[in-house]
Amino acid sequence: MSDDNGPLVTEAMVCPARGEKLVLKDITLPAMTPTQVEVDLLYCGLCHTDIHMRDNDWGISNYPLVLGHEGVATVRKAGAGVTHLKIGDKVGITWARDSCTRCDNCLAGRENICDEGYQGTYLSSAAGPWGKEPYNEHGGCFSKVMRIEERFAIKLPDNLPPEIACPLICGGGTVFEAIVDYVQSGTKVAIASVGGLGTAAIRFAKLFGGQVTALSRREDKKQKCLDLGAREFYACLGNSEAMAELSGKFDVIIDTAPVNLDLAPYMGMLKFNGTYCKVGIPSASDMTFKYDYIPLIFTQKKIAGSIVTGTRRMNRMLELAEDEMDTFAKDQEDWRTEIVKFDQVNETMDKLKDEKNDKTYRYILEW
């Protein structure tokens, strides 16, 4: 640990160029500001987003690139202006590292919809308003040390293990935002596509009192989804006739699939005045969707998107997870989170991308 707040050299797993293997090398962190904390990274969840960013699937990556946005760390230094964190605190680092802090949304703790665009944890110029500063070279949680604004170092409950904390920090926050917005007691909510995002969505939707249905392409996920808290399960996705049999059934559909699909069968499953909410992001080459105005207007249905939550709801989500520890720790044996060392990051990213492991949706990288 350095004694001053000047630039700091540390090690990180770096992606040199689009689609290339990550390599361990020295990086230099910028000088620390009075409102930042310096943290030692212990764990980082591996998210499909990191794979998309490595491969520039969304067209918003700059290289070289230090990935990672599901970090669990301990505070080792606090700037003079830090007021809520202290050395030794366990914190989570998520998808955003800064925002304007002045607009109404930021003042309400909803920095994810900052009027000026939040600063992504490892985004840079290719990401437009979400990459105002060049954080691609030193920003992500695949680094051994990070410097980040105190506001975006989320204090974690002491009893929340990394196997639960890491997936919640990103994937959990992504679906939690949509569930807070659209689900309340009695809401008939369908979770479409059951992977890492989908499993978290089922749990949170049930905790909010929703009547949860899981939708998948595969019948073999049925019992697992019911065990997670779904009331019903249909292996109907990709089958327009099977989806049509669920016409007018749901108030809300939260679609977690990172692919661009025909909207019509999904909109058909909604009740009048229902909402289809997309949280899975397709590739940049397939971003455009189409839907007719007449059925949209005459049924008053809505098409929405949702991104990972801001600090206020993130804290609320983590408190809920702490209170419902049994719910979030109760994974079936063949869906259990797997912890691997950082020197296996390339093999693990390829395994996740190619879906070569049926026994887990979640990997945690450990230094």
Side-chain angles (χ1 to χ4, degrees):
M1 187 190 315
S2 64
D3 294 327
D4 59 54
N5 295 326
L8 176 69
V9 176
T10 186
E11 287 186 309
M13 299 299 299
V14 180
C15 179
R18 179 177 182 174
E20 291 193 5
K21 299 293 185 184
L22 277 57
V23 293
L24 182 65
K25 59 185 299 184
D26 286 347
I27 63 169
T28 301
L29 305 182
M32 187 171 166
T33 71
T35 53
Q36 287 184 334
V37 291
E38 184 176 285
V39 301
D40 285 316
L41 270 297
L42 306 174
Y43 302 93
C44 185
L46 179 59
C47 177
H48 271 285
T49 293
D50 296 312
I51 297 171
H52 289 305
M53 291 296 293
R54 178 196 67 181
D55 298 341
N56 202 20
D57 290 336
W58 299 334
I60 60 171
S61 299
N62 293 87
Y63 303 94
L65 179 59
V66 179
L67 300 161
H69 59 281
E70 294 184 2
V72 170
T74 54
V75 177
R76 70 180 202 170
K77 182 188 289 188
V82 170
T83 58
H84 300 298
L85 294 175
K86 63 182 184 302
I87 293 172
D89 281 346
K90 185 169 69 171
V91 297
I93 312 296
T94 182
W95 177 247
R97 64 160 48 245
D98 205 355
S99 68
C100 83
T101 73
R102 300 178 303 274
C103 70
D104 289 344
N105 287 324
C106 285
L107 292 173
R110 301 198 67 190
E111 302 90 348
N112 54 317
I113 48 175
C114 171
D115 287 353
E116 297 181 15
Y118 60 82
Q119 170 64 53
T121 297
Y122 56 74
L123 298 181
S124 190
S125 58
W130 298 280
K132 303 175 192 68
E133 301 293 332
Y135 277 102
N136 55 294
E137 296 188 29
H138 50 72
C141 299
F142 285 11
S143 175
K144 290 186 177 180
V145 180
M146 287 183 70
R147 288 171 168 174
I148 190 165
E149 291 298 315
E150 176 193 25
R151 182 184 184 121
F152 292 90
I154 310 297
K155 193 173 189 306
L156 297 176
D158 290 334
N159 65 337
L160 203 64
E163 296 93 328
I164 298 175
C166 289
L168 286 180
I169 289 168
C170 176
T174 297
V175 297
F176 191 77
E177 178 80 359
I179 287 165
V180 173
D181 283 341
Y182 301 115
V183 178
Q184 56 188 339
S185 181
T187 301
K188 293 185 176 179
V189 53
I191 309 302
S193 187
V194 185
L197 292 176
T199 55
I202 291 170
R203 286 168 163 149
F204 281 126
K206 182 184 179 184
L207 288 174
F208 271 63
Q211 298 178 25
V212 185
T213 298
L215 307 178
S216 179
R217 293 174 179 269
R218 292 167 44 184
E219 186 68 34
D220 62 358
K221 293 187 178 182
K222 178 176 181 177
Q223 191 57 50
K224 298 170 184 177
C225 292
L226 297 177
D227 290 343
L228 285 171
R231 286 190 177 190
E232 296 182 289
F233 175 91
Y234 297 95
C236 63
L237 299 183
N239 183 332
S240 57
E241 292 182 1
M243 294 172 78
E245 292 177 4
L246 303 178
S247 176
K249 185 175 177 66
F250 305 114
D251 299 305
V252 179
I253 298 172
I254 298 174
D255 184 5
T256 72
V259 291
N260 190 2
L261 301 166
D262 181 9
L263 273 187
Y266 290 85
M267 299 298 286
M269 292 190 289
L270 288 172
K271 296 180 178 181
F272 280 29
N273 205 38
T275 300
Y276 168 86
C277 181
K278 184 73 167 176
V279 298
I281 306 176
S283 67
S285 62
D286 194 21
M287 283 282 184
T288 303
F289 65 85
K290 179 182 177 181
Y291 191 68
D292 291 340
Y293 278 120
I294 287 293
L296 187 72
I297 293 168
F298 277 74
T299 62
Q300 292 191 189
K301 296 179 183 180
K302 295 168 284 294
I303 300 169
S306 190
I307 190 65
V308 68
T309 196
T311 57
R312 179 171 61 86
R313 289 182 177 179
M314 181 68 72
N315 281 302
R316 180 184 175 191
M317 178 193 70
L318 292 169
E319 290 170 2
L320 180 61
E322 182 183 25
D323 293 341
E324 300 288 341
M325 187 67 72
D326 288 345
T327 297
F328 288 92
K330 188 180 68 176
D331 268 345
Q332 292 90 347
E333 185 62 34
D334 56 351
W335 278 10
R336 199 163 298 281
T337 300
E338 184 177 340
I339 297 179
V340 299
K341 293 293 186 181
F342 255 102
D343 60 9
Q344 301 174 49
V345 62
N346 290 307
E347 301 93 319
T348 307
M349 292 181 84
D350 290 344
K351 189 184 296 184
L352 183 62
K353 180 179 181 178
D354 298 336
E355 298 181 348
K356 291 180 179 177
N357 189 348
D358 291 332
K359 293 189 175 183
T360 183
Y361 292 123
R362 297 179 287 269
Y363 293 96
I364 309 295
L365 299 163
E366 178 183 19
W367 281 111

